[in-house]
Amino acid sequence: MKKTVLVLAATLFLFGPLAAQSSVPTTREMNLLCWQEFGELVPTRIKTVLLPTGSLEPHGVIPNGTDSLAPEAMARDIAERVGALIAPTLNYGMTADMKAYPGAVSISKDAYALFAEDIMENLAGQGFQNIIILNGHGGNTAVLNEVAGRVSNDCRVRIFIVNWWTLVDDITKAVFKQNGGHAGNNETAYIQAVVPAHVHPERYRPEMAAPLAAPAGAFYAHPVTTSILLYEKGQGYPTFDPAQAKDYFRKVNDRVAGLVAEAIKQWDAAGIYR
Ligand SMILES: [Zn+2]
């Protein structure tokens, strides 16, 4: 009996310190990791980082921060599957034509480009091989693409930008049996799966929704006349169905995780920036 206790104590003594460097990170969020653990993980064991980017702007009857909350929830859901850490979200974006609405904040293109560029460069400098930007706001896309190209070339790092609502166009049509919209069925369902307490169907009226200019460029309103902008006339109204919300959330994240994993596999196979 005494011998067993001694052996057990010796085992704990020998392997205890190793347990502190177990193969499972204590968290995947860069905000929560201490520098020592981060250094143990990156780049030796983890080569991929997810960077959610969003905006603060009106979204029908769902949170103003929807464009940040959605990709942040997505990052938490897929990080383990794609072997990634999660960088803190870029909560502000460019939303000039919605800036007039209560609670909205828009930053200039120049400021956004410099900010995004510095963050991407730093993530590359920390040793990440793959920077995966999960973008939640269409107004950011053009600048993010441009900056990503520059940083990728300069830092020899792989950068992949996902505009989730466009990627899952077919899933939106399959789940809702119609097209989506800004703050429409698709975004409302996704965010209902994340923060149901902050979705307000009691404030909703169908008249709040209006179609986007069709054909594209047919008209331009500044500020936009409403924040629920239907991709197609007569389609995309929020449904507020919790079961549908959960189903949509799952399907969207599965698609995004699959795409990210595939992109990394292809880069590896091509031998780019190994
Ligand atoms: Zn949005």
Side-chain angles (χ1 to χ4, degrees):
M1 182 70 181
K2 232 178 180 179
K3 215 174 183 181
T4 319
V5 172
L6 271 176
V7 169
L8 194 67
T11 311
L12 281 173
F13 176 76
L14 281 173
F15 295 102
L18 287 180
Q21 290 181 33
S22 82
S23 57
V24 183
T26 58
T27 172
R28 291 192 175 264
E29 298 193 32
M30 281 175 62
N31 256 342
L32 297 174
L33 283 165
C34 65
W35 66 269
Q36 293 93 336
E37 186 177 358
F38 184 94
E40 288 155 15
L41 296 172
V42 181
T44 329
R45 287 161 52 202
I46 295 185
K47 300 183 186 317
T48 303
V49 63
L50 305 174
L51 172 64
T53 56
S55 179
L56 192 61
E57 67 178 27
H59 271 83
V61 296
I62 57 176
N64 280 358
T66 287
D67 289 352
S68 308
L69 294 165
E72 194 170 282
M74 190 178 290
R76 290 200 181 108
D77 191 63
I78 71 166
E80 195 177 338
R81 280 188 265 176
V82 300
L85 293 187
I86 304 167
T89 302
L90 271 64
N91 286 298
Y92 298 102
M94 291 165 290
T95 181
D97 58 0
M98 288 190 168
K99 188 179 172 176
Y101 281 76
V105 171
S106 180
I107 61 175
S108 69
K109 186 186 165 195
D110 289 350
Y112 189 76
L114 287 171
F115 189 58
E117 183 166 356
D118 279 358
I119 290 164
M120 288 184 217
E121 273 182 16
N122 275 265
L123 292 171
Q126 285 295 340
F128 287 113
Q129 183 180 34
N130 310 303
I131 300 174
I132 312 296
I133 297 175
L134 301 177
N135 181 36
H137 176 59
N140 296 341
T141 307
V143 172
L144 285 173
N145 291 355
E146 191 191 318
V147 167
R150 211 155 52 225
V151 175
S152 174
N153 283 334
D154 291 353
C155 303
R156 299 179 59 80
V157 63
R158 306 150 161 187
I159 306 182
F160 195 82
I161 303 174
V162 184
N163 297 302
W164 73 265
W165 66 97
T166 305
L167 173 72
V168 301
D169 180 63
D170 60 325
I171 296 175
T172 299
K173 287 171 182 158
V175 169
F176 305 102
K177 311 283 180 254
Q178 48 179 264
N179 211 336
H182 179 266
N185 49 13
N186 46 348
E187 248 187 330
T188 299
Y190 194 92
I191 221 66
Q192 190 174 355
V194 179
V195 285
H198 302 290
V199 171
H200 296 284
E202 76 283 1
R203 291 182 180 272
Y204 173 73
R205 285 169 291 110
E207 311 85 83
M208 293 166 83
L212 281 170
F219 61 82
Y220 175 65
H222 191 115
V224 288
T225 59
T226 174
S227 65
I228 305 181
L229 295 160
L230 310 171
Y231 303 153
E232 262 182 74
K233 196 176 177 183
Q235 298 188 35
Y237 298 90
T239 57
F240 306 109
D241 175 341
Q244 208 172 36
K246 276 187 189 142
D247 178 43
Y248 188 63
F249 180 81
R250 176 63 35 226
K251 286 176 173 155
V252 168
N253 293 354
D254 287 351
R255 170 69 61 82
V256 173
L259 180 76
V260 169
E262 190 57 31
I264 294 171
K265 210 168 94 186
Q266 286 173 345
W267 272 325
D268 286 345
I272 306 295
Y273 298 154
R274 297 219 70 164

